[in-house]
Amino acid sequence: MTKFTHFTYKENSLYCENSSIKEIVENYNTPLYIYSYQSILDQYQLLEEAFNPWKNLLCYAVKANTNKAILKTLFNLGAGADVVSGGELSRALMAGCDPQKIVFSGVGKTEKEIESGIKNNILQFNVESEQELDAINNIAKQLGKKAPIAIRVNPDVDPKTHPYISTGLKKNKFGVNHKQALALYAKASTLNHLSITGISCHIGSQITETQPFYDAMVKIRELIDNLEKQNITLNNIDIGGGMGIPYNQEKIPAAHDYAQAIMTPLDGVKGTIILEPGRFLVGNSAALITKVLYVKPSEEGLLFTIVDSGFNDLMRPMLYQAHHDIIPVTKEATTKDVITNIEGPICESSDRFAKERKIPLQKQNDYLAIMSAGAYGSSMSSTYNSRGRPAEVLVKDNLFFLIKKADQLEDIIKNEVLPDFLN
Ligand code: LLP
């Protein structure tokens, strides 16, 4: 997989598709998220083709990027949604997702969220505990309905990724083990306001090997066969998300290889294979463009390149020590490479995008592109340090469209209330 097919240099100037990034930035200022529309279409098509031999449904994991233009792009292609909150459910519905293509995951669904899922006739709740199963049954009863459920199984497989984004090990809070799952299915079949529709699992994120998927599916298959013997038939086999993308030099399996690893153990199972990809679809579709504010040497001989974006805009490097390529928006033939830390303006030492990174020496007001920023970038941004979150632009060939305005101070403070006694 080529990393950034739709971010290329033309005469030393970085383009997104056929739009000049410098020109876009001059219209909207920095920091600025820039997305390639075509990149999302391409990634969707890759996955769709890989799973085409099997009856499947791609439920985009909304948490990766919640912008409604991105959601609409995917729903227009036929994607469903994997949501983990009432807010995500509402966003998916507002962006036109078919409720019968929505799965509701998450270890802590509230009563209100469950109610909303039932009222909106979603495809399935992925249930993570016995108490949640009871809660869904009770709420469905109050509403005079039957709620569709799958049990989320924790297959206890090491996804070999960052510990913060591993979810399928028995020490993780997610899902239930094999034995508990069997007990929950048995219980669910006795509850009048539930209908058993499937099984689900999700072992982690940014998984760059196929083996963990294979291992997890072997365990899921055992369970499916076991349930079949008890006459519990599953319509939906939800295998979760987690397929990785290249951020640095990682070798990533092709979509087809992920599909083989997942489907070999599931050979012959009836029902629809549901996937919940997030990062795979949008991760490499975007760059976060930032402006160089100052370049200063330290006493120890380090060089700091201070930029106008911080971890409030893109948290991944600070939170997971994640690598993101950082490249100049304009390459100048005469500029020498230097080793520099690329640091944000936030008042914390962890506010750093890269440590001792080799890039061409930057001048004040040059622009840098922080790559692979499409997933878990904007959706994890905050307003820490009272910094407004960046604007976002979607590029389609030589056209570009504002899809989110930057926060203004009023947006950040509008929900704060001053008690009378302080006036
Ligand atoms: N399904 C479930 C139940 C999930 O919990 C997740 C991600 C996904 C699907 C989508 O996973 P993906 O295909 O995007 O790997 N903030 C972290 C990633 C956290 C992922 C949480 N769950 C990061 O920036 O790397």
Side-chain angles (χ1 to χ4, degrees), residues 1 50 210 252-260 280:
M1 184 206 272
T210 55
I252 305 290
H256 178 79
D257 297 328
Y258 282 121
Q260 282 306 318
F280 186 88

Side-chain angles (χ1 to χ4, degrees), residues 129-142:
S129 64
E130 183 172 359
Q131 290 184 351
E132 184 190 332
L133 194 75
D134 289 332
I136 297 177
N137 184 58
N138 289 338
I139 296 165
K141 186 173 176 190
Q142 283 156 28

Side-chain angles (χ1 to χ4, degrees), residues 59 61 63-64 82 84 105-106 126 128 152 164-165 167 174 201-202 204-207 240-244 247 276-280 316 319-320 375-377 380:
C59 290
K63 64 169 82 68
D82 163 49
V84 290
S105 304
N126 293 339
E128 306 220 18
R152 175 165 172 182
Y164 284 13
I165 51 179
T167 47
F174 300 98
C201 83
H202 169 77
S205 197
Q206 185 54 12
I207 301 170
M243 279 157 277
Y247 281 94
E276 302 171 354
R279 188 188 322 262
F280 186 88
R316 303 193 70 260
L319 192 57
Y320 315 114
Y376 308 107
M380 286 173 69

